[in-house]
């Protein structure tokens, strides 16, 4: 009996969508097709697999059955028409951007972007003649509109940004982009499709670092580009000649060949030529993670809310940037866009600056001090000396990334154990820095309107 996958719940889809068969042996799990290439049956078959008129596989840099199973599964979870799996999140962003923009083109991006993305857009793609403007006032539609130029080819933003947890009004930005005939590309890494599906709110393309919540266990890197499949490339008057004019080996343009999936079609050629192919072994591990995504992210979010509330009540903590707290400037957007949980990556600022942050991270036992997020284990990072080290002091100040700011990624351990670890570290800071806990209590500290938070989370 045929099941319409779109009617299934999220947890069912994360286990069954885009089923990957093993026609030969009936293996229930998705087989790992660890092979560089696939045998051709004669010259006509080889030609057809090369020019794309055959569904058969040719070479794993182009496509692979294990990778394709992950693509179908993630596309189903995001509500997209299709997906492209690549080797890292950075490769996903690079591929999506290069599929849309070329030398002379322009990108409008949220200023609240992952540092790797910010540097990619500004420096690396800048050297290729693609320019970017960053919008800081992301809640203001006029700020987005003012940044758009005739050469703009895409609008880029993150659904939830780090480290300060800004939540994007996806619908607002999609509307501005669409009024200008532009697609909105969303990096949905921190939310994961369990918490937020940007395509449902008007986004056209979604990218992920699958290294984070999708894979979920801190073992492999991966990235994915999901195409909503509804942007009308042909109507945008010569803006995307790579989709509407450039002909492939079969003599057709991506729009002629793939219709609404034209972008993904072309993105696949970008990935194939630039070469960030994922290993089918890594693809398998990403799929393994995806099958428990809802369970993990629900637990990550519940623990993060509990820990954020606890931190906000500690005298040694100056502020907590968690969108699940009523004190966060984007709490209203979080309540609107994140009904199933507020995510588990957030930051807080210790009194006592750099010395306090140093003593604190050294004293932690369960939290691992490293760069990464979305791991099943809890992690801590000091952005000022790592991810944001290339920024000037003024830029860090403007972004609210002070010397005492630490980023947490709350894992799947028992929350009381994590709180005990944090409490112990706060005591260690107090022992190392005279007067540390004697500071005034954190702003509306206990003041976290607990009821409001619980209500919002319910
Ligand atoms: C980690 C991350 C990336 C980059 O992903 P990699 O898999 O490390 O290349 C991009 N965007 C966000 C929001 C991330 O957290």
């Amino acid at each position: 009996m045929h099941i319409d996958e779109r009617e299934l719940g999220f947890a069912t889809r994360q286990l069954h969508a885009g089923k990957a068969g093993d026609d030969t042996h009936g293996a229930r799990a998705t087989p790992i097709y660890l092979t560089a290439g696939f045998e051709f049956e004669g010259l006509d078959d080889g030609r057809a697999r090369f020019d794309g008129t055959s569904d058969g596989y040719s070479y794993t840099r182009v496509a692979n059955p294990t990778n394709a199973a992950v693509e179908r599964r993630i596309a189903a979870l995001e509500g997209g028409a299709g997906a492209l799996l690549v080797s890292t999140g950075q490769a996903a962003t690079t591929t999506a951007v290069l599929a849309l923009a070329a030398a002379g083109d322009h990108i409008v991006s949220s200023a609240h972007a992952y540092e790797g993305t910010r540097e990619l857009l500004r420096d690396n793609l800048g050297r290729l003649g693609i320019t970017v403007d960053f919008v800081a006032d992301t809640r203001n539609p006029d700020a987005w509109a003012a940044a758009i130029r005739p050469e703009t080819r895409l609008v880029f933003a993150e659904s939830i940004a780090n480290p300060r947890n800004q939540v994007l009004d996806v619908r607002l930005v999609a509307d501005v982009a669409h009024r200008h005939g532009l697609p909105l590309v969303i990096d949905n890494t921190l939310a994961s499709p369990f918490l937020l599906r940007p395509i449902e709110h008007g986004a056209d393309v979604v990218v992920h670092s699958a290294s984070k919540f999708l894979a979920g266990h801190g073992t492999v890197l991966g990235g994915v580009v999901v195409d909503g499949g509804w942007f009308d490339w042909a109507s945008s008057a010569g803006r995307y000649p790579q989709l509407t004019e450039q002909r492939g080996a079969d003599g057709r343009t991506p729009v002629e060949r793939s219709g609404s999936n034209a972008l993904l079609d072309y993105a696949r050629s970008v990935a194939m030529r630039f070469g960030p192919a994922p290993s089918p072994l890594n693809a398998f591990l990403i799929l393994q993670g995806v099958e428990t995504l809802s369970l993990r992210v629900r637990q990550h979010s519940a623990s993060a809310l509990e820990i954020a509330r606890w931190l906000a009540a500690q005298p040694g903590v100056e502020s907590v940037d968690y969108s699940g707290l009523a004190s966060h400037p984007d709490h209203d957007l979080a309540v609107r866009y994140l009904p199933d949980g507020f995510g588990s990556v957030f930051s807080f600022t210790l009194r006592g600056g750099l010395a306090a942050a140093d003593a604190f991270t050294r004293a932690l036992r369960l939290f691992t001090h490293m760069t990464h997020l979305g791991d099943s284990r809890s992690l801590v990072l000091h952005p000022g000396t790592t991810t944001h080290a290339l920024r000037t002091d003024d830029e860090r100040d403007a972004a609210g990334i002070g010397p005492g700011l630490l980023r947490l990624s709350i894992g799947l351990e028992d929350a009381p154990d994590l709180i005990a670890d944090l409490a112990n570290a706060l005591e260690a800071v107090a022992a190392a820095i005279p007067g540390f806990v004697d500071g005034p209590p954190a702003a509306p500290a206990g003041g976290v309107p607990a009821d409001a938070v619980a209500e919002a989370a319910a």
Side-chain angles (χ1 to χ4, degrees):
M1 193 188 70
H2 178 73
I3 298 176
D4 183 351
E5 286 175 353
R6 285 164 306 179
E7 313 228 309
L8 300 172
F10 191 91
T12 311
R13 272 181 289 146
Q14 76 190 359
L15 286 155
H16 290 278
K19 181 173 178 303
D22 169 5
D23 302 338
T24 319
H25 304 293
R28 187 62 191 87
T30 302
I32 304 169
Y33 288 94
L34 208 49
T35 179
F38 301 81
E39 197 174 342
F40 303 151
E41 292 159 18
L43 300 189
D44 284 346
D45 182 40
R47 185 202 310 276
R49 295 204 208 183
F50 255 68
D51 70 17
T53 53
S54 154
D55 290 340
Y57 292 95
S58 59
Y59 191 57
T60 284
R61 172 154 48 73
V62 184
N64 172 286
T66 310
N67 301 356
V70 183
E71 290 169 349
R72 291 194 298 273
R73 186 76 50 89
I74 295 174
L77 294 183
E78 283 287 0
L84 170 67
L85 190 72
V86 289
S87 57
T88 64
Q90 284 297 101
T93 304
T94 305
T95 301
V97 170
L98 291 181
L100 288 165
D105 291 342
H106 175 251
I107 296 166
V108 172
S109 169
S110 165
H112 313 309
Y114 176 73
E115 285 298 284
T117 302
R118 197 177 103 102
E119 286 154 15
L120 167 75
L121 298 179
R122 195 192 54 188
D123 305 335
N124 305 83
L125 296 184
R127 290 188 61 236
L128 303 183
I130 300 173
T131 52
V132 60
D133 273 301
F134 293 100
V135 173
D137 186 8
T138 50
R139 299 186 62 140
N140 177 0
D142 298 337
W144 289 98
I148 292 171
R149 306 187 203 153
E151 320 82 74
T152 307
R153 292 293 175 269
L154 68 129
V155 176
F156 185 93
E158 297 180 8
S159 49
I160 303 177
N162 99 75
R164 300 210 51 212
N165 237 235
Q166 294 92 346
V167 178
L168 189 76
D169 190 339
V170 182
R171 175 63 61 184
L172 176 143
V173 183
D175 286 348
V176 177
H178 295 162
R179 266 203 302 283
H180 291 82
L182 297 171
L184 173 62
V185 181
I186 295 287
D187 181 335
N188 197 33
T189 300
L190 264 70
S192 90
F194 176 65
L195 296 181
L196 178 67
R197 290 166 297 282
I199 291 168
E200 290 177 1
H201 300 282
D204 303 282
V205 178
V206 170
V207 296
H208 274 281
S209 167
S211 327
K212 313 293 171 53
F213 292 99
L214 292 175
H217 298 76
T219 52
V220 295
L221 304 190
V224 66
V225 181
V226 183
D227 185 357
W230 61 14
F231 195 86
D232 185 2
W233 307 105
S235 77
S236 46
R239 263 192 191 153
Y240 305 99
Q242 71 278 27
L243 305 181
T244 58
E245 290 165 31
Q246 195 173 309
R247 297 187 184 281
D250 63 350
R252 294 182 293 173
T253 68
V255 165
E256 286 166 357
R257 185 169 42 242
S258 306
S260 56
N261 267 323
L263 177 67
L264 211 56
D265 178 326
Y266 187 72
R268 196 172 284 283
S269 80
V270 170
M272 171 179 129
R273 308 262 161 56
F274 282 84
S279 162
L281 181 58
N282 288 2
F284 173 85
L285 290 166
I286 292 166
L287 193 61
Q288 198 73 358
V290 164
E291 295 191 351
T292 57
L293 182 69
S294 64
L295 300 172
R296 288 184 290 104
V297 172
R298 197 180 284 124
Q299 184 58 49
H300 278 298
S301 297
S303 294
L305 180 60
E306 191 177 336
I307 290 166
R309 289 170 62 184
W310 181 85
L311 279 169
Q314 304 312 305
V317 172
E318 198 170 286
S319 58
V320 179
D321 298 307
Y322 186 56
S323 75
L325 301 184
S327 55
H328 193 282
D330 292 338
H331 182 62
D332 58 330
L333 291 174
V335 169
R336 177 140 59 97
Y337 282 98
L338 304 168
D340 295 315
F342 303 111
S344 62
V345 179
F346 65 95
S347 60
F348 69 99
T349 299
L350 280 171
R351 297 185 187 287
L354 200 63
D358 191 33
F360 187 87
T361 48
R362 284 171 192 277
L364 287 166
R365 300 273 180 273
L366 285 177
F367 282 81
T368 306
H369 182 193
M370 63 181 266
T371 184
H372 188 46
L373 53 87
D375 198 310
S376 45
R377 289 153 290 240
S378 292
L379 312 176
V380 60
L381 182 74
H382 185 256
T385 48
T386 57
T387 52
H388 292 67
L390 286 181
R391 293 205 183 190
T392 63
D393 288 342
D394 284 349
E395 285 173 336
R396 274 194 297 270
D397 282 348
I401 297 169
L405 182 133
L406 290 167
R407 183 184 82 187
L408 300 180
S409 175
I410 302 300
L412 299 175
E413 303 91 341
D414 293 299
D417 290 336
L418 296 175
I419 288 175
D421 197 32
L422 296 167
N424 176 61
L426 281 173
E427 277 169 32
V429 180
I433 302 177
F436 172 67
V437 281
D438 300 336
V448 176
D451 297 344
V453 169
E455 244 167 59

